[in-house]
Amino acid sequence: MNIATTLSTPHQAVYDPNSQEFSVAGVIRPRSVDEIAPSLSALRQAIEVARGVLYINVKRLVQMNNTAFHAFSRVILDACRSRSDIRFVVVTSSVVGWTERMFRHLSRIEPQVTVEVYDSKFYPGQSFVEDTSFIPILRTQTKMTWRHERAILPRHGMRPGIHMADICCGIGDFAVLVRKEFQPARIVALDHSRASLAYARNVAADFGIVDIEYSYGDASEMLLEDDQFDLVTCRHSLQIFNQPHVLLKELYRICKPGGRVYITNEKNSHCLGEPRSQSIQWTYNEVAKLFSHFEMDVELGPKSRRFLADAGFEDIRVESFMVTNLDGDPQDFADIITAWENVYAGEMAVKRGDPPEFIERFRQGFRDHIFAALHPKGYAGWPIWAASGRKPL
Amino acid sequence: MHAAAAEPAFEPLIRLEMEMETFLSDWQHCDYLSSFLARMISHNRTDPVRHANFFSSALNELLEVSFRGGSSGGRIGCTVYRQGELERVKLSFPCPPGQHDFYREAVSKTRKGDAYARYLDAVSTALAPTREIVLLDLAINFEAEISLEEEASSSITLVVDLPLGGIVS
Ligand SMILES: C[S@@+](CC[C@H](N)C(=O)[O-])C[C@H]1O[C@@H](n2cnc3c(N)ncnc32)[C@H](O)[C@@H]1O
């Protein structure tokens, strides 16, 4: 037996009795069934102890050949025949299209098997951040942060000729700006919003850009292979995941050893303005609470150092910058705040069930922030933390 | 026979060739080659990452068919062509002359009306998929159109059209 075959058993099969979930992940392309015998018997054991519904999670299954598919199917179908008390729910991902196509046949054969396509409803805050009403905000935001980031990025590993990935790329304008300014050799830009990606592809097409690889995917379980990129960027997004460390682990995985992962995050309660500072401060404190209600931590910025360290990065660099009404046109700053007011007060607070008096006061802080931004002697700021770490060699 | 001019233009994207003996020396070659070729041809598709994943899935099955059914004298060759949303894989590999009938039959079964029923039956009862079932899988799950080119008696060429452009997005 050569080393390549012994080393490459890159799949995992685990059973979690608490959720009655059997998960198969990775690449499963055995030559014969014997090679995956341990995983098959793990599934048999899971079936033995499970009561009611057993979830078969194949969301992170990257590849599976017919040999493996038939073998796993065999175990599931046999169980359906011998145990009328058990049901199977196969959870597939909308990203890996062929898994749903293959597994749905099982439900044709045995009605005890159902197939569910995992989608956005599984993330607490997902529906807000994937909403198309975010598109105009993202555009103006990137325009304003870019003024700072173009100077910051070279300190975090950005340089011409690199291979980079922008994860949670939104509408893709950061990738377009980076491409123009720094000329990387390869850019992959991934997001989980089909609407944002469609927008990104249209913009790219309008500018005749063909070399940005826009991809639909789930940042917490990407199809991208390990150790591929010199720089992985993930902007304003760690803070919207209920489990930022899971996302960071994926960013780490696709980064080359010696490469860097660059993240930007906010601390919303530190948004500020003069005049009317108190009303502004009250509202942004409430923004932080509102997001945490939906399991998102928009106070994450200053925690970047800890998150990067806990994820195993070294040579961690953290800096902060303040986007203000004095960067270019104050109206741009005001537009961002208007968009925040619309989504945070108009949608999220309503969804949380806040009373009208609260929403009115909440809105007032945004309006005061706009007032400060447009005031001839006013000052309005939005602080952001940019941090990066190197993946050890 | 149709006039040759009626064939739409397929643009060749990549060709790979190796000694069959080398190919057969390690099962992992199927995985490596399908992943590599998939990545090479997908970069300018709308969603390169997912296209590569889908394509690799289909190509790996074809390579596994040639691994299981091929014989060691001669070379294996794989060419990928593109025409619009379609990718065509031409896979040639040496195989014993007696196998031609088997492939002819297996390929023709992918076009029959009972293809889906046969596929379900195999998933439902068989212990392991035969090469015939693998071809059915490609026809059903990847909407592949499969045909054969028989030029020499000592080798076989599978021609597989995969409309992945449409399926991925
Ligand atoms: C706050 S936006 C930031 C977008 C962009 N980086 C920017 O700075 O403009 C967060 C983005 O994360 C995306 N997103 C949310 N959940 C995701 C997931 N599971 N996988 C990939 N992207 C996701 C959303 O669609 C949205 O575009």
Side-chain angles (χ1 to χ4, degrees):
Chain A
M1 178 164 293
N2 68 35
I3 296 173
T5 24
T6 39
L7 285 182
S8 56
T9 42
H11 86 272
Q12 308 91 42
V14 262
Y15 179 59
D16 174 2
N18 295 321
S19 50
Q20 298 214 119
E21 182 177 74
F22 183 81
S23 310
V24 204
V27 176
I28 316 184
R29 288 174 162 175
R31 181 172 182 178
S32 85
V33 184
D34 306 342
E35 290 164 36
I36 54 168
S39 301
L40 294 170
S41 65
L43 176 56
R44 276 191 211 95
Q45 279 163 20
I47 293 170
E48 238 162 69
V49 296
R51 295 287 167 267
V53 179
L54 179 65
Y55 292 89
I56 311 278
N57 176 341
V58 294
K59 273 160 31 188
R60 305 198 58 171
L61 189 55
V62 176
Q63 291 292 350
M64 172 180 257
N65 68 2
N66 266 290
T67 302
F69 173 68
H70 275 247
F72 280 102
S73 300
R74 178 85 288 109
V75 174
I76 294 169
L77 296 173
D78 286 350
C80 290
R81 286 157 200 167
S82 61
R83 296 241 331 247
S84 57
D85 63 309
I86 197 163
R87 285 204 310 117
F88 291 92
V89 176
V90 181
V91 186
T92 69
S93 139
S94 57
V95 176
V96 190
W98 56 265
T99 49
E100 197 232 332
R101 291 179 153 252
M102 283 178 86
F103 281 96
R104 74 177 173 200
H105 304 305
L106 302 187
S107 61
R108 284 291 206 95
I109 297 169
E110 288 294 341
Q112 276 161 265
V113 181
T114 48
V115 178
E116 274 178 13
V117 182
Y118 155 89
D119 67 24
S120 49
K121 67 174 184 286
F122 290 80
Y123 281 108
Q126 196 103 3
S127 53
F128 301 115
V129 295
E130 286 192 14
D131 199 296
T132 44
S133 57
F134 250 96
I135 287 179
I137 316 188
L138 296 179
R139 239 195 121 90
T140 317
Q141 281 187 178
T142 309
K143 181 171 144 194
M144 297 202 74
T145 53
W146 180 248
R147 291 201 179 87
H148 301 266
E149 284 186 272
R150 68 191 298 184
I152 288 173
L153 281 161
R155 295 197 281 276
H156 296 266
M158 179 67 84
R159 55 183 194 280
I162 60 168
H163 286 211
M164 69 161 286
D166 186 34
I167 305 306
C168 301
C169 67
I171 54 171
D173 41 359
F174 178 73
V176 171
L177 291 165
V178 161
R179 176 182 172 276
K180 187 157 175 247
E181 179 92 11
F182 296 103
Q183 282 119 32
R186 181 181 184 206
I187 309 184
V188 171
L190 178 143
D191 202 276
H192 196 261
S193 156
R194 292 187 193 268
S196 296
L197 285 172
Y199 186 95
R201 290 189 181 112
N202 280 338
V203 171
D206 286 349
F207 286 93
I209 297 170
V210 293
D211 50 2
I212 297 176
E213 300 175 34
Y214 288 107
S215 188
Y216 172 69
D218 183 347
S220 61
E221 38 206 16
M222 294 185 279
L223 291 177
L224 298 167
E225 287 154 48
D226 301 357
D227 304 334
Q228 270 201 67
F229 298 100
D230 303 289
L231 180 64
V232 179
T233 57
C234 181
R235 303 173 48 265
H236 299 280
S237 298
L238 228 50
Q239 58 183 37
I240 58 152
F241 274 78
N242 56 338
Q243 294 182 301
H245 61 278
V246 174
L247 176 50
L248 207 47
K249 202 171 156 197
E250 273 293 273
L251 304 179
Y252 183 96
R253 182 182 68 75
I254 64 171
C255 181
K256 280 185 195 165
R260 298 188 77 87
V261 169
Y262 168 87
I263 56 176
T264 65
N265 292 284
E266 300 164 60
K267 181 171 174 78
N268 252 282
S269 65
H270 282 206
C271 282
L272 51 84
E274 287 290 351
R276 305 189 180 174
S277 62
Q278 287 188 349
S279 155
I280 296 169
Q281 198 175 352
W282 182 86
T283 284
Y284 284 98
N285 273 321
E286 290 301 324
V287 169
K289 290 185 206 158
L290 178 62
F291 272 84
S292 78
H293 175 81
F294 293 104
E295 296 181 50
M296 296 183 261
D297 181 9
V298 288
E299 298 286 277
L300 196 143
K303 302 173 194 167
S304 305
R305 184 177 176 208
R306 167 167 65 82
F307 272 108
L308 287 167
D310 290 351
F313 290 96
E314 55 186 30
D315 186 27
I316 294 165
R317 298 173 193 166
V318 186
E319 50 192 302
S320 60
F321 60 94
M322 179 92 80
V323 173
T324 77
N325 60 330
L326 303 183
D327 303 346
D329 187 350
Q331 189 58 49
D332 282 345
F333 194 96
D335 288 347
I336 295 181
I337 311 307
T338 304
W340 288 352
E341 183 189 339
N342 290 339
V343 178
Y344 304 166
E347 295 177 25
M348 293 174 68
V350 174
K351 177 91 181 261
R352 186 172 60 171
D354 293 340
E357 317 81 73
F358 173 88
I359 293 183
E360 190 42 41
R361 188 174 173 198
F362 192 40
R363 282 189 183 275
Q364 190 56 46
F366 294 114
R367 291 182 195 135
D368 290 336
H369 206 195
I370 293 169
F371 180 80
L374 298 178
H375 192 285
K377 295 182 200 164
Y379 183 76
W382 168 37
I384 292 166
W385 277 260
S388 73
R390 185 174 62 209
K391 177 169 170 175
L393 282 170
Chain B
M1 277 279 104
H2 298 289
E7 271 275 299
F10 277 90
E11 173 205 357
L13 298 179
I14 196 166
R15 171 157 179 86
L16 187 138
E17 243 190 81
M18 75 196 277
E19 286 301 329
M20 192 63 176
E21 199 173 339
T22 314
F23 175 65
L24 293 177
S25 68
D26 187 351
W27 173 252
Q28 297 288 332
H29 286 146
C30 302
D31 177 38
Y32 296 155
L33 294 178
S34 58
S35 305
F36 172 75
L37 287 174
R39 212 175 318 137
M40 296 301 286
I41 63 127
S42 299
H43 66 93
N44 53 0
R45 278 300 194 190
T46 309
D47 191 328
V49 177
R50 293 178 61 240
H51 194 273
N53 175 265
F54 242 103
F55 187 84
S56 165
S57 207
L59 182 59
N60 177 63
E61 296 297 341
L62 283 172
L63 291 172
E64 290 189 8
V65 164
S66 64
F67 195 102
R68 293 186 200 276
S71 51
S72 66
R75 295 172 77 78
I76 176 172
C78 180
T79 313
V80 184
Y81 304 82
R82 174 171 300 166
Q83 191 237 324
E85 294 294 278
L86 204 67
E87 258 114 28
R88 168 171 290 181
V89 177
K90 273 197 191 189
L91 181 68
S92 313
F93 56 94
C95 79
Q99 291 271 307
H100 284 232
D101 280 346
F102 165 80
Y103 285 107
R104 240 173 262 141
E105 180 130 338
V107 165
S108 82
K109 279 180 185 163
T110 63
R111 301 158 179 276
K112 297 245 166 74
D114 65 348
Y116 189 49
R118 296 175 64 84
Y119 176 75
L120 281 190
D121 188 53
V123 173
S124 164
T125 56
L127 282 176
T130 59
R131 280 174 287 155
E132 183 194 321
I133 295 304
V134 171
L135 295 181
L136 276 179
D137 156 66
L138 291 173
I140 287 158
N141 295 317
F142 296 85
E143 293 169 28
E145 291 227 12
I146 309 173
S147 58
L148 269 192
E149 271 178 15
E150 298 180 66
E151 276 155 11
S153 63
S154 57
S155 73
I156 199 99
T157 300
L158 289 166
V159 182
V160 180
D161 287 351
L162 297 159
L164 298 188
I167 301 179
V168 172
S169 30

